[in-house]
Amino acid sequence: MAGLPPEGQPAPDDGRLPDGALDRLGERGFGIYVHVPFCASRCGYCDFNTYAPGELGSAGRTDAASWLEAALAEIDLAGTVLGAAPGGLPRVDTVFVGGGTPTLVPIDYLSQVKSRIEETFGFTNDVEITTEANPDSVDPASLEALRTAGFTRISLGMQSARSHVLAVLDRRHTPGRAVQAAQEARKAGFEHVNLDLIYGTPGETDADWSASLSAAVAAGVDHVSAYALIVEDGTRLARQISKGVLPMPDDDVLADRYVMADDALGRAGLTWYEVSNWAADESARCRHNELYWRSGDWWGVGPGAHSHVGGVRWWNLRHPGRYADRLAAKASPAQAREILAVEDRRVEDVMLRLRLAEGLPLTVLDADGRAAAARAHADGLLDVRDDRAVLTRRGRLLADAVVRDLLT
């Protein structure tokens, strides 16, 4: 099961935010995240707030129809809470429907959620509307329906092109299905198609990873995300490793695989714009994720969803039934919240913006941080130019350590 959220402070039943939190609403962009908590089965490495058949028991308000009713109610709540902003409600720049597997619920439900967001807030002229999907949860007809409903971007969980790697990850789709689904999405008219890959799975070889990269490139997508496998506590994979059934991913191997990805994707015309993300051009970047990395504002709809507005972060009740019950009672589904101090916000700014290819303004750093940036530049970890610090490729491999040094 998924890891627990922080404890935080009590959140008010009406969802109201502290004084001042709405003063600059949307200045760094505004988005809506929608969490769909259902999966056909649980992948062995996953610790997200998702539920496979049978995991929710017979509790009430846990089906897709109850989820839809609650999600629409939370969008209405968001409109009421954020409508108190001095400048009124912001228009939505990005919508991202994630999970779980969003495409397990009827597409009409996703369309209703998208329409309610548009009715409540309005969309910017170039709004980006994304859904995640498993390759085996879509087909040409459903992809055309999603595109007709207004979705502009789709992110498909490919993970690997090798069957034995997919088996270790407990993925259900066949090796070639992700590529086929990506091509079907392009044919359906999606403006942007992303494939998600994972490297470092126990039993994966360099040849396996190279084949996965080649397959992703051959799919003709304009965006690829590649993530090192992280062994999360409480997952089936973690238990297998603790029992010695599978080996722990090796850090040196993970670094080599990252270099392989950067080389292969670069040759294919995809350029890194965030440590784990490559795009064909600026328009192909995932703008919703850029909103996160640039500390923008967003409201998270759904069980366990997190939100951030004006330095206030809150998170919803995780269980779909409890989440729906709160909204049925006309109360906020927030479990708790935290109010970030100025220094907390600066630290997050450094942690997130340094991961971007555009780098971090040196003015965000204090004197010790600027001295650390100079040392990192001398060590070949940072490229410092025009008063900005940008990770080199070697620096990307050691990004967490570089951030720690800048903040120490």
Side-chain angles (χ1 to χ4, degrees), residues 346-357:
R346 186 186 75 85
V347 167
E348 287 202 355
D349 218 22
V350 173
M351 292 174 61
L352 295 173
R353 291 173 69 184
L354 189 65
R355 295 181 62 86
L356 296 170

Side-chain angles (χ1 to χ4, degrees), residues 76-93:
D76 293 343
L77 173 68
T80 299
V81 171
L82 301 182
L89 287 174
R91 290 188 176 273
V92 172
D93 298 296

